[in-house]
Amino acid sequence: MVYPETGRAVVTLLERLGVRVGFPAEQSCCGQPFFNTGYRRATEPLVRRYAAAFRGYEHIVTPSASCAAMVREQYPRIAARAAAEGRDDGLTEAVAEVVPRTYELTEYLVDVLGVTDVGAHYPHTVTYHPTCHGLRALGLGDRPRRLLERVKGLELRELAGAEECCGFGGTFAVKNAAVSVAMGTDKARAAVATGAAALCAADNSCLAHIGGILTRRGAAVRPVHIAEILASTGPGTAGGPEGAAR
Amino acid sequence: MTGRPVPLGMPSFPRAAAVSTRDARLRANLKHATGTIRARRAAAVAELDDWRQLRAAAAAVKERTLRHLDHYLVRLEERVTAAGGTVHWAADAAEANRIVTELVRATGEREVVKVKSMVTQEIGLNEALAAAGVRAYETDLAELIVQLGDDLPSHLLVPAIHRNRDEIREIFRERMADWGRPAPEGLTDRPADLAEAARLHLREKFLRAKVAVSGANFMVAETGTMVVVESEGNGRMCLTLPETLISVVGIEKVVPTWRDLEIYLQVLPRSSTAERMNPYTSMWTGTTDGDGPRAFHLVLLDNGRTDTLADTVGRQALRCIRCSACLNVCPVYERAGGHAYGSPYSGPIGAILAPQLRGLAGPLEESLPFASSLCGACYEVCPVAIDIPEVLVHLRERVAEGGEATVRGTRAVVRPARRHALERRVVAGAAWALDRPELLRRGRRLAGRAARFAPRRLPGPGRAWTDGRDLPEIPEESFRDWWARTRAQESSQESSHEFSHEFSHEFSHEFSHEFSHEFSHEFSHEFSHESSKGGDR
C-alpha cells in the first residue's frame, strides 16, 4: 500500500530472472495484524481470500518475511481451529494447497530459482537487519546475505546486535509505544554507527518503524527493502539511498 | 482469590513500562546484566552436541507428566509419606499460607529461614507469616537485597538484577541492623565485601533457625525425593540445619523418575546461569534419623495450575523450569524491567504464566499478553520449548474476542475485555475494508493524491506512533495502479469523485454510524486518559 517501490522492484527483479509474474487483484492483507492482536476469527475471511486469490499459481512470493511466516505458521493453525469450531467449509484443504507454495522473496531466489547473483549493481554501503520473522520463524539464515554479497558495488557493513528485535511488533508499536520506540532507537543507533548509507531488511513493516525513528532523529541512513537493492542495476535506477524517506 | 495479592492500583504493563523505560540507571543495570548472561548461556549451550535432543526430551517428559499429573502426584504423596514426610494439599494461595502458618505455629517458633522460592512469592507467604507474627528471613543474597530494600523481585533467578552494587551497599548499610547483624563499618561496594557482609548477617540466622521454608525445583515421583538447585549454599544450610522443613511446591514440578531428572539437571544450569553444573544440588527424601530435619512437610500448591492445565494451548507454560533464559534474551524485559510485569513472574514467561494462574482478572493481567513484540527470541532459548509467542497470541484472543476457559475447575465462557470494545470495532472496520481490495485500491489513490497534506503528527490514537516516529511518505501512485498501468489490460480510470461517493456510501451504510459514535465516545476518552500519564518519552 505505502511502499509501491518494493512491489515494483519485486516484479522488475523476477521478470529480469525470467519469471512470469502475476498479481491477482483479489488479494489483500494476509491478516497478520488482526491475528497477532487476538482477532483470530476476524482473520478467517482474509485467509480464505488469500487461498482463493493464489489458487493455481505455481509459486507465491512475498517481499515480507512476517507475511510469509504468518501464512506458513499460522494459516494451518487458523484453519484447524476453524474446523474444530465447525467453520471449516473447505478452509483446511484450501490452506494446505497454498501454504507449501508460499515463499519469502530471498527464499524463493535462493531455494527455488537457485540464484545468488541476480545481476544487481548497487554502489553503496549497506547494513543488513535480519528481521525476527525472517531469522527465527522462517530460518532464512544467510540467504539474504549471500544475495547481497553478490551485488556489484555493494559494501556490506556489520550491524551490532543485528539479531535483536527492532521493536515494531505490529500493534505492539502503538500498544506499547514507549518500549517499542526504546527498542527502535537502539536499532537506529546501531544502524547509524555502521556509517552505511542504507539499512536493508526483508520486511517493510520493520523498516517503517526504524525509518520513522531515523528520520525523526535526522539520521542519514536510509531504510531500503532488499528487493529494491536486488532490482537495482546501477546509479540512477530506483531504490538508491538518495531516494525518498521511508 | 488465586495468586499473590496484587497491590491496589497496579498499573497495566504499558503504563508501568512507559515510566521504567525512562529510568536510565535501571536500563543500564539491565542491559549490562542480561547482555552478559545472554552471551554466556549461548556459549554453554553450544558446548553440547545433543542440545536439540535434550530440549526435545525435556519438553516431551514434562508434557507427558502433565497429561498424567494426577497419577504422578498420588505416587509422590505415597512415597513422601512412606519416607516419613507429611503431604498437604493447597487449592489456592490462602490455603497454602494457612497451612504453613499453622505448621510454624505448632513448632512454637517465631521465625523461619527461607530458601529462594518463586512459589512463596506467588502466594505472598512472607506477608501472611508476618501477619501471624512470624518473621521470614530470606537467605538468598539477591532475595536478601530485595527484602532489606522493601522491594519486589524483578527477575526469576536474580531478583535484585535491577540494583547495582552501589545501591546494594546503601541498602546493607541502612537496613541490615533492622533485621539482625548490622553491616560492617566502612563497607565498600566491592562484590567480595558485600558478599562477606551478607554472609555474616545470615550466618547467625542459619545457626539459630529451628524452621525452614523452601520450594523445590523438582520432585521425583518414584522415590518421593525433593530437589533444590542453587548457587550460594544458603539453601543447603536451610535444608539441613533446622529441625522442621516445610516445602511449598507447585504441582507441576513433579517428574516421574530419576532418569527424567537427569535431563533437567543438564538443561537447567546451562540455560539459567550458563554453568555446566550448578554449585549445590540438594536432594532429600522424607526424613532420616540423625541427619537433617526431624520433620518434613510438603505443601502441594494448585493456585490456578489445574485451570491452566485444562487449556490445551496455554498449558505448555506449566513445563517451565524457571531458568530465566527467556527474560535474559527478551528485548522488552531488558527495557521495561521486571517490575512492570506486576508479578513475581516477569518477562516472557511471566506474561503467559501470570494471566493464566490469576486469570484475566484486571487491566494488568489483560495487558500482559500484549507485552511482547512476538520476536520469538524467548521460544528459541527455552530449554523446554515453550512456544511463548503462540501462547501470547492465544491469550490475546481470549482478551480480544473472549472464549472458553476453566476457572476454579469449572468450564466458563470468558467475555471479551471491556477495554477492548473500541478496538474490536476498529478491527471489524479494517477487516471489512481489507476484504474489498478494489475499494482499498481506490481509497489508496485518494490518499496518494492527498499525501502532501498529510500531517507530521497524528491526533488521538495515532499519537502513539507519531510521538516517537515519523510517518512514511505516501507516493502518489500505488503498486496496484502501477501494475494496472504497466502490466494489466484493465482500465483504472475511475474518477475519484465517483469512488469517494461510493466508498463513503457503502462504508456509512454498513457501520460507520455506530463506529463513529463509539469512537468519539469511548476512544477519545480512553486515549486522553492514556496520554495524560506523562507522555511516552
Side-chain angles (χ1 to χ4, degrees), chain A residues 126-131 144 148 154 156 159 198-203 207 221-227 229:
Chain A
V126 172
T127 188
Y128 173 69
H129 169 55
T131 62
L148 290 171
L154 186 148
L156 199 56
L159 180 67
L199 168 71
C200 134
D203 219 313
L207 288 176
V221 193
R222 188 193 163 221
V224 178
H225 193 284
I226 192 168
I229 292 176

Side-chain angles (χ1 to χ4, degrees), chain B residues 472-537:
Chain B
E473 289 171 15
I474 303 179
E476 187 170 336
E477 188 182 48
S478 74
F479 175 79
R480 280 176 194 266
D481 282 351
W482 174 82
W483 178 266
R485 182 166 60 80
T486 61
R487 299 295 195 282
Q489 311 303 317
E490 65 168 80
S491 157
S492 60
Q493 299 303 312
E494 306 90 341
S495 80
S496 62
H497 174 76
E498 184 190 322
F499 158 67
S500 63
H501 178 74
E502 187 190 331
F503 182 82
S504 61
H505 178 72
E506 200 169 335
F507 191 81
S508 67
H509 205 70
E510 294 222 5
F511 66 61
S512 84
H513 176 72
E514 196 186 347
F515 176 78
S516 63
H517 176 72
E518 194 74 37
F519 190 85
S520 56
H521 198 69
E522 178 188 336
F523 209 44
S524 57
H525 174 73
E526 193 178 318
F527 253 89
S528 60
H529 189 55
E530 275 292 326
S531 53
S532 68
K533 68 185 181 271
D536 285 335
R537 71 219 104 249

Side-chain angles (χ1 to χ4, degrees), chain B residues 366-378:
Chain B
E366 284 171 8
S367 74
L368 285 173
F370 297 90
S372 166
S373 64
L374 304 178
C375 84
C378 48

Side-chain angles (χ1 to χ4, degrees), chain B residues 306-341:
Chain B
T306 304
D307 289 349
T308 305
L309 196 54
D311 184 327
T312 53
V313 177
R315 70 178 170 209
Q316 55 185 309
L318 295 178
R319 290 184 210 151
C320 176
I321 56 173
R322 313 283 189 262
C323 72
S324 68
C326 64
L327 280 71
N328 297 331
V329 81
C330 179
V332 175
Y333 174 86
E334 182 190 320
R335 285 158 185 93
H339 291 154
Y341 295 82

Side-chain angles (χ1 to χ4, degrees), chain B residues 218-235:
Chain B
F218 306 98
M219 306 184 285
V220 184
E222 68 175 346
T223 52
T225 303
M226 317 298 295
V227 183
V228 163
V229 170
E230 50 141 352
S231 294
E232 296 171 14
N234 63 301

